[in-house]
């Protein structure tokens, strides 16, 4: 039988990083520029800080109840029936988030690469891959994320570093931007890109040393947030905010405008898309895993594997509902902002009530490893 506590601090940080870095990286500079023009890096930083607030709350709750996921300890804090509504909202939210991630992936692929392939094919293939992979346990889940983390991090940093040779720092001034009226919606939209960090609520009960969860949260968020800020700064410095507002996927255009020294590769968009597909998979993998893991805990099931294909048709139908790519991005932005209530406000309420009622889970024996 698999030891239920196999996840290390480094593995937890890798899970956070590869889950947060996902499909939204292509449109991220556009969202940030619409909010503050040249102040896009600052808006991204503020969005990251807001996203970290939610992660910090989830981590504190997980350390307070180290043997249980949020579906379980919410019942201890609120009672079975009041917690049921919150648990259902969490499950529905991440099921819809999974569907939107798959649809965005499909739209990018059929627009940029497989132009004659129906979007339904690319969506169902990615969802099937996620469903098959989620049949593994939490330890294999962690190994997959650790394996893909350097594949995501190294090429992304390389492309960003090479792109700076085409940059003009005047494009980043003023650093606070000049469209302050849109700052708050922009911060909320970017904070929504960090909602995948909610996966930590399912990871902490499997950690060898749950007391190190906060360190894993900080490391994972610093790497993911730092990469996002760097990508936005590089894109704005190369193209300028006015040009970015005309682009649908500015990060992809950045890769097209970047080349290796001596023109070994004149365009890096093909290599970037390969890395991006991996990033989409790890994000989709985590959100799908969190959805079925939460359902299994809600219904007291001993194993989540039986649910792997149960949700597939439901998620696929949801993914096909947006009529076009513009409607899809409108839904993504609005749904992401509303989702902050579930990923920040709801856990914050749970933590406040747990502190007031002095609720705490059983402690975990100190690991010798």
């Amino acid at each position: 039988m698999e030891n239920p506590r196999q996840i290390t601090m480094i593995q937890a940080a890798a899970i956070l990083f590869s889950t947060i870095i996902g499909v939204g990286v292509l449109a991220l500079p556009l969202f940030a520029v619409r909010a503050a023009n040249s102040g896009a890096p600052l808006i991204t930083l503020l969005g990251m800080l807001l996203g970290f607030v939610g992660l910090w709350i989830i981590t504190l709750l997980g350390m307070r109840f180290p043997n249980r996921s949020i579906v379980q300890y919410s019942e201890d804090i609120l009672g079975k029936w009041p917690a049921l509504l919150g648990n259902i909202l969490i499950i529905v939210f991440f099921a819809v988030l999974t569907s939107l991630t798959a649809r965005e992936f499909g739209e990018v692929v059929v627009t940029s690469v497989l132009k004659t392939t129906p979007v339904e094919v690319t969506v169902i293939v990615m969802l099937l891959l996620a469903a098959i992979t989620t049949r593994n346990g939490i330890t294999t889940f962690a190994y997959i994320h650790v394996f893909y983390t350097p594949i995501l991090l190294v090429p992304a940093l390389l492309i960003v570093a090479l792109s700076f040779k085409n940059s003009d720092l005047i494009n980043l001034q003023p650093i606070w931007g000049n469209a302050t009226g849109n700052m708050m919606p922009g911060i909320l939209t970017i904070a929504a890109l960090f909602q995948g960090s909610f996966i930590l609520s399912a990871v902490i009960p499997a950690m060898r040393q749950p007391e190190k969860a906060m360190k894993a949260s900080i490391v994972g968020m610093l790497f993911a947030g730092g990469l996002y800020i760097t990508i936005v700064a590089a894109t704005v410095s190369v193209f300028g905010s006015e040009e970015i507002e005309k682009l649908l996927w500015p990060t992809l255009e950045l890769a097209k405008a970047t080349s290796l020294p001596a023109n070994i590769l004149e365009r890096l968009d093909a290599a970037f898309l390969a890395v991006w597909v991996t990033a989409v998979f790890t994000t989709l993998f985590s959100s799908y895993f969190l959805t079925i893991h939460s359902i299994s805990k809600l219904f007291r099931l001993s194993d989540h594997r039986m649910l792997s294909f149960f949700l597939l048709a439901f998620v696929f139908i949801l993914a096909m509902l947006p009529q076009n790519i513009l409607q899809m991005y409108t839904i993504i932005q609005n749904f992401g902002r509303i989702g902050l209530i579930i990923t920040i406000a709801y856990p914050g309420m749970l933590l406040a009530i747990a502190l007031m009622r002095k609720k705490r889970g059983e402690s975990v024996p100190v690991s010798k490893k």
Side-chain angles (χ1 to χ4, degrees), residues 4-5 57-80 83 87 198-207 210 213 290 293-294 296-298 300 350 359-364:
R5 293 200 172 274
I57 294 171
I58 282 293
T59 306
L60 288 179
L61 282 168
M63 293 168 67
R64 194 173 181 88
F65 299 90
N67 297 303
R68 292 170 163 256
S69 70
I70 190 170
V71 172
Q72 296 168 308
Y73 60 68
S74 62
E75 295 181 356
D76 294 340
I77 297 171
L78 299 177
K80 182 176 180 180
N87 292 333
F198 207 84
I199 187 65
L200 200 65
S201 64
V203 172
I204 290 178
M207 289 185 67
L290 180 59
H293 179 272
S294 299
S296 69
K297 296 301 181 184
L298 182 63
R300 310 293 198 276
L350 290 179
K359 289 282 186 178
R360 183 180 292 275
E362 296 179 1
S363 60
V364 176

Side-chain angles (χ1 to χ4, degrees), residues 53-58 61 69-91 93-94 195 198 201 294 298 337-355:
V53 170
L55 176 58
W56 176 72
I57 294 171
I58 282 293
L61 282 168
S69 70
I70 190 170
V71 172
Q72 296 168 308
Y73 60 68
S74 62
E75 295 181 356
D76 294 340
I77 297 171
L78 299 177
K80 182 176 180 180
W81 296 111
L84 179 62
L85 175 61
N87 292 333
I88 290 174
L89 287 175
I90 289 172
I91 291 168
F93 174 74
F94 281 98
Q195 289 172 329
F198 207 84
S201 64
S294 299
L298 182 63
R337 293 170 188 167
I338 295 171
L340 293 174
I341 299 173
I342 298 172
T343 56
I344 297 180
Y346 177 63
M349 181 190 71
L350 290 179
L351 180 60
I353 295 175
L355 291 171

Side-chain angles (χ1 to χ4, degrees), residues 50-241:
L50 180 57
F52 181 72
V53 170
L55 176 58
W56 176 72
I57 294 171
I58 282 293
T59 306
L60 288 179
L61 282 168
M63 293 168 67
R64 194 173 181 88
F65 299 90
N67 297 303
R68 292 170 163 256
S69 70
I70 190 170
V71 172
Q72 296 168 308
Y73 60 68
S74 62
E75 295 181 356
D76 294 340
I77 297 171
L78 299 177
K80 182 176 180 180
W81 296 111
L84 179 62
L85 175 61
N87 292 333
I88 290 174
L89 287 175
I90 289 172
I91 291 168
V92 171
F93 174 74
F94 281 98
V96 176
L97 195 65
T98 302
S99 69
L100 291 173
T101 301
R103 176 60 184 272
E104 189 174 356
F105 165 77
E107 292 288 354
V108 174
V109 169
V110 299
T111 302
S112 304
V113 185
L114 307 175
K115 298 183 179 180
T116 59
T117 304
V119 67
E120 292 84 357
V121 174
T122 57
V123 170
I124 194 64
V125 166
M126 183 57 83
L127 286 175
L128 272 172
L129 184 60
I132 292 170
T133 315
T134 51
R135 292 184 61 81
N136 296 296
I138 188 72
T139 304
T140 305
F141 172 81
Y143 288 156
I144 291 173
H145 279 283
V146 171
F147 176 79
Y148 283 121
T149 293
I151 297 176
L152 299 179
L153 182 60
V154 175
L157 289 176
L158 178 63
I159 291 173
V160 170
L162 291 172
S163 70
F164 274 112
K165 67 182 180 181
N166 302 319
S167 66
D168 187 350
L169 294 181
I170 196 68
N171 290 328
L172 294 172
Q173 297 177 6
I175 60 173
W176 52 84
N178 50 18
T180 54
N182 296 322
M183 286 186 68
M184 185 50 67
I187 291 171
L188 295 178
T189 298
I190 293 171
L193 298 178
F194 293 88
Q195 289 172 329
S197 60
F198 207 84
I199 187 65
L200 200 65
S201 64
V203 172
I204 290 178
M207 289 185 67
R208 292 178 186 173
Q209 297 173 296
E211 66 275 9
K212 291 187 176 182
M214 187 60 73
K215 186 181 293 186
S217 299
I218 294 171
V219 172
M221 183 61 79
L222 281 178
F223 274 88
L227 182 58
Y228 271 165
I229 294 169
T230 307
I231 288 173
V232 171
T235 308
V236 175
S237 65
V238 170
F239 296 116
S241 58

Side-chain angles (χ1 to χ4, degrees), residues 4-24:
R5 293 200 172 274
Q6 289 291 318
I7 311 299
T8 65
M9 188 274 289
I10 297 298
Q11 288 175 326
I15 291 170
L16 279 175
F17 171 81
S18 59
T19 299
I20 292 171
I21 301 299
V23 66

